[in-house]
Amino acid sequence: MSLLLQYTLIFASVLILVALGGCFSEHSGVINLGLEGIMIMGALGGALTMRYLGENSSHFVTILAVVLVSAAVGMVYSCLLAVACINFKADQTLVGTALNLLGTAGATVIVKAINTAANPDDVSSIIQYAGAKKAFTVNIGSFEFSWFMLITALLLVASYVLLYKTRFGLRLMACGEHPQAADSVGINVYKMRWAGVLISGFLGGLGGIVFITAGVSEWRFEYGVAGFGFLSLAVMIFGQWKPQRIALAALLFGFFRALGNVYTGFAFLKVMNLPSSVYNMLPYIISLIVLAFTSKNSRAPKAEGIPYDKGQR
């Protein structure tokens, strides 16, 4: 049972971080379908940081460096979305899709080049970080607590406060609801949308490193992030673009994803003799069912996906 709780919380942490990233971006008026690509690039930055820091650095330095690098790489990569969609008014769906394809392919090429430079016979896209990963976990009895869980909880609270209790958050949401009205009272819509996309890159990149360190000590980057970027979008929609609801939705989806890791520990599930792939499919099946019944009642920001034209009224 503790193992189920452990995996539920860590997978929910990934979904919360990435869904919050999508939430900030869409509240500003930009649909970020490139979360999958942002995740893999953030994961690449964090994994390389762990690889080069190794086991010799203090745990605090390792945690701080990995978190900052993952978030920074995610932010830098999200700039591609911001430039294309905010400054050049490109189609946000197409740009997001392109970022997803480029992210996995780019990360694979970079890792293979690094591995080949270190060892000409190594053409894999794998990065190992077994030693450095220990900095993120603390054993509490049979439960393996991850510092990422605490970081996620803090960022969840910070996101709620930022969106609903600060002038910045209210201005950001105004740009996603009626950018012309926001502009008329002196709010710079372009800057607010840039801020929303950069925050989504920060949280998405951090979600990527949390995902690849969940239970494993190496990652093959050509696998991407197994659709967790799109699953996070489902969590965001099911959570109605509200941090507190996103957290509850993430726990639900995280629970079903965790079953794929621990189902052999439950006798009634083991006796069913279902392949592990069925359990791995559960969160995606559940997301289809949930969205089929709830998406018609969803209320997305009114101006999301619509490029802002300052001259339009």
Side-chain angles (χ1 to χ4, degrees):
M1 186 59 71
S2 63
L3 198 58
L4 177 61
L5 177 62
Q6 173 188 318
Y7 278 109
T8 297
L9 290 177
I10 198 66
F11 285 128
S13 297
V14 178
L15 294 172
I16 289 171
L17 289 169
V18 184
L20 284 175
C23 180
F24 273 97
S25 182
E26 295 204 10
H27 271 311
S28 74
V30 179
I31 298 175
N32 190 351
L33 289 184
L35 289 170
E36 191 102 352
I38 291 172
M39 284 181 71
I40 194 65
M41 294 306 290
L44 173 63
L48 288 174
T49 302
M50 286 192 286
R51 172 173 172 170
Y52 291 119
L53 283 178
E55 301 180 52
N56 299 324
S57 298
S58 70
H59 287 185
F60 176 78
V61 171
T62 300
I63 293 171
L64 184 63
V66 170
V67 167
L68 291 179
V69 171
S70 298
V73 173
M75 288 179 71
V76 170
Y77 193 65
S78 69
C79 288
L80 297 176
L81 177 73
V83 169
C85 297
I86 300 173
N87 296 92
F88 294 116
K89 299 179 174 60
D91 186 284
Q92 296 173 12
T93 303
L94 293 178
V95 174
T97 303
L99 288 182
N100 290 335
L101 298 173
L102 177 63
T104 303
T108 302
V109 170
I110 291 170
V111 174
K112 285 187 175 182
I114 291 172
N115 288 341
T116 303
N119 180 6
D121 295 326
D122 184 3
V123 293
S124 70
S125 62
I126 298 174
I127 292 181
Q128 297 178 337
Y129 40 80
K133 184 195 166 188
K134 295 175 183 176
F136 294 94
T137 56
V138 177
N139 291 320
I140 304 174
S142 59
F143 180 81
E144 187 177 82
F145 173 79
S146 171
W147 289 111
F148 283 129
M149 297 175 189
L150 177 60
I151 292 171
T152 300
L154 294 175
L155 288 174
L156 176 64
V157 174
S159 296
Y160 177 83
V161 173
L162 187 62
L163 277 175
Y164 297 109
K165 305 297 181 181
T166 67
R167 186 170 61 177
F168 169 83
L170 297 176
R171 289 183 171 188
L172 185 79
M173 291 190 288
C175 293
E177 291 293 334
H178 201 306
Q180 283 77 20
D183 191 15
S184 69
V185 294
I187 298 172
N188 190 318
V189 176
Y190 295 113
K191 286 184 178 179
M192 296 308 294
R193 289 192 168 184
W194 260 91
V197 172
L198 289 177
I199 292 173
S200 76
F202 178 96
L203 294 169
L206 188 55
I209 191 61
V210 179
F211 176 76
I212 70 166
T213 55
V216 296
S217 299
E218 64 178 32
W219 191 256
R220 187 182 293 273
F221 278 83
E222 62 197 42
Y223 290 167
V225 288
F228 254 64
F230 292 106
L231 189 58
S232 298
L233 288 173
V235 168
M236 178 191 69
I237 295 170
F238 185 40
Q240 292 292 297
W241 293 266
K242 297 179 179 178
Q244 65 274 31
R245 293 189 180 184
I246 283 173
L248 295 175
L251 287 170
L252 173 67
F253 286 85
F255 169 78
F256 285 106
R257 177 60 183 84
L259 284 178
N261 291 69
V262 302
Y263 72 95
T264 54
F266 295 88
F268 71 97
L269 292 177
K270 190 174 182 180
V271 76
M272 294 173 67
N273 200 29
L274 295 174
S276 60
S277 56
V278 172
Y279 295 97
N280 290 333
M281 288 166 56
L282 275 178
Y284 307 100
I285 295 172
I286 296 298
S287 69
L288 290 174
I289 296 171
V290 167
L291 291 179
F293 287 100
T294 63
S295 59
K296 63 181 179 181
N297 298 319
S298 297
R299 187 192 175 282
K302 291 181 181 178
E304 71 165 15
I306 303 173
Y308 176 61
D309 185 355
K310 190 174 179 67
Q312 184 180 354
R313 286 286 183 266

